[in-house]
């Protein structure tokens, strides 16, 4: 195939315009992903240094610390802490008024999101030696942490 044939082939495909979101080139991935600014500065340093599993672990340790601080629960950790703190029948941390079915469903759902994040994201990074995290996976995990912190903020629990 010569260059003319290649050009003809390339020109025969339909042109599809894809508009890319314009972002200043100097934005850090944390700003692009809107990672919660209250996460410890250590999280960003770990990310920037390529310690992606450590960055996610630090973020979720911070979430655990915040839930302990806000709930007053002390001798309980991880999944069990989240299940008790956000228990829809007797929440130590109420995410909404609890007046409607939707309120109760939200409390129930976030209980499991908080608990699941501890079990599925934090714990493997705290107990395994060499996890193959990459920058995108780390940013996904930090986005989950940001959602959880923003939920606490929206509920007026963090001031």
């Amino acid at each position: 195939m010569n260059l003319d044939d290649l050009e003809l082939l390339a020109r025969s495909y339909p042109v599809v315009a894809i508009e890319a979101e314009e972002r200043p080139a100097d934005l850090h991935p944390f700003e692009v992903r809107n990672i919660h600014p209250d996460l410890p500065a250590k999280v960003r340093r770990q990310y920037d240094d390529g310690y992606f599993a450590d960055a996610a672990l630090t973020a979720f340790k911070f979430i655990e610390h915040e839930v302990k601080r806000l709930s007053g629960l002390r001798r309980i950790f991880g999944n069990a802490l989240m299940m008790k703190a956000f228990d829809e029948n007797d929440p130590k941390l109420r995410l909404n008024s609890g007046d409607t079915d939707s309120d109760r469903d939200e409390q129930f759902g976030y209980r499991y999101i908080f608990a699941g994040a501890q079990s599925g994201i934090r714990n493997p990074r705290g107990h395994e030696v060499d996890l193959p995290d990459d920058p995108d996976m780390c940013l996904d995990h930090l986005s989950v942490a940001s959602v959880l912190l923003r939920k606490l903020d929206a509920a007026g629990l963090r001031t």
Side-chain angles (χ1 to χ4, degrees), residues 107-132:
Q107 183 78 29
F108 175 86
Y110 270 95
R111 175 188 191 196
Y112 284 91
I113 295 170
F114 273 90
Q118 289 295 311
S119 294
I121 299 172
R122 181 203 187 279
N123 286 354
R125 281 146 194 84
H127 300 293
E128 295 301 321
V129 176
D130 190 27
L131 287 178

Side-chain angles (χ1 to χ4, degrees), residues 70-124:
L70 296 168
S71 69
L73 298 169
R74 294 290 173 243
R75 293 189 172 99
I76 188 169
F77 305 93
N79 183 293
L81 168 68
M82 302 306 166
M83 294 300 282
K84 182 141 180 86
F86 296 102
D87 182 347
E88 65 277 7
N89 295 314
D90 182 27
K92 304 295 183 232
L93 298 177
R94 186 176 293 280
L95 298 174
N96 55 49
S97 68
D99 293 336
T100 67
D101 287 342
S102 287
D103 288 345
R104 289 183 289 279
D105 286 348
E106 181 182 45
Q107 183 78 29
F108 175 86
Y110 270 95
R111 175 188 191 196
Y112 284 91
I113 295 170
F114 273 90
Q118 289 295 311
S119 294
I121 299 172
R122 181 203 187 279
N123 286 354

Side-chain angles (χ1 to χ4, degrees), residues 41-62:
K42 180 179 182 180
V43 172
R44 187 169 176 153
R45 285 193 309 271
Q46 289 170 320
Y47 177 87
D48 288 342
D49 290 343
Y51 296 103
F52 306 118
D54 292 336
L57 174 62
T58 300
F60 281 94
K61 284 169 67 175
F62 179 74

Side-chain angles (χ1 to χ4, degrees), residues 34-39 62-63 66-67 69-70 86 93-96 106 110 114 142-159:
N34 195 26
I35 301 302
H36 200 293
D38 289 352
L39 286 174
F62 179 74
I63 300 276
E66 283 293 272
V67 169
R69 180 180 70 81
L70 296 168
F86 296 102
L93 298 177
R94 186 176 293 280
L95 298 174
N96 55 49
E106 181 182 45
Y110 270 95
F114 273 90
L142 297 178
S143 294
V144 172
S146 295
V147 166
L148 298 179
L149 285 176
R150 285 191 174 91
K151 182 47 88 176
L152 294 174
D153 293 343
L157 295 168
R158 298 177 69 236
T159 54

